[in-house]
Structures are given as structure tokens and as C-alpha cells.
Amino acid sequence: MKKITAKKITVLSVLFLCVFLSGCGCGKKKKDPAGEQVLKISITPEPSPTPKPEEVNQDAVVTNGNITMVNEYLTKQGRSTDEE
């Protein structure tokens, strides 16, 4: 049998230590917390193109206070919800 010398044990120990440290995450870069944050986006509502309430079937028009809304589904179908 071959003798294991102190020099071989030292070299093997250092190699094992290097392999162990490289696998445990010591070489990984730390993540930047600013880069991990979610961007906050605010969406500005834009008015959608709706037909004028005077030009469509009055069953498709709903008024609530000073807001007038047109139901496009009823406008396209040309019927009211009472006919269903």
C-alpha cells in the first residue's frame, strides 16, 4: 500500500474545501434589491369612442347623475334587455 503523506492530505483538504465553498453559494452575486422591485404603473383612463346617446336606441342609454353611459351590446343588437 502507498503511504498517505501529510502533504497529500493537505492538498486534498484544500481542494475539498474549494469545491465545498464554490458549491455553497459563496461565488454567487448578491441581488440588487432595487432591481427586484416591481415597477408601479399608473394607468390614466381615456374616454372610449361611444356613440352619442341621442343617436342610439334609448333602451341602451343609462343616465346616473351627470354621467351618461351607452351599452354597446344593446346598441349593436338593436334590442333592449326586456325583449330577452
Side-chain angles (χ1 to χ4, degrees), residues 3-60:
K3 288 186 178 181
I4 300 177
T5 61
K7 188 174 184 180
K8 287 182 182 179
I9 291 175
T10 306
V11 170
L12 289 175
S13 298
V14 169
L15 286 174
F16 178 75
L17 184 63
C18 290
V19 169
F20 177 75
L21 288 177
S22 67
C24 75
C26 295
K28 293 181 181 177
K29 292 182 180 179
K30 293 184 179 180
K31 296 181 180 178
D32 181 22
E36 293 291 316
Q37 292 179 353
V38 177
L39 295 174
K40 295 178 183 177
I41 300 173
S42 61
I43 300 173
T44 306
E46 296 179 10
S48 60
T50 14
K52 294 181 181 179
E54 301 84 28
E55 298 175 357
V56 296
N57 184 1
Q58 289 303 311
D59 292 333

Side-chain angles (χ1 to χ4, degrees), residues 31 56 65-67 71 80:
K31 296 181 180 178
V56 296
N66 60 351
I67 298 174
N71 187 333
S80 67

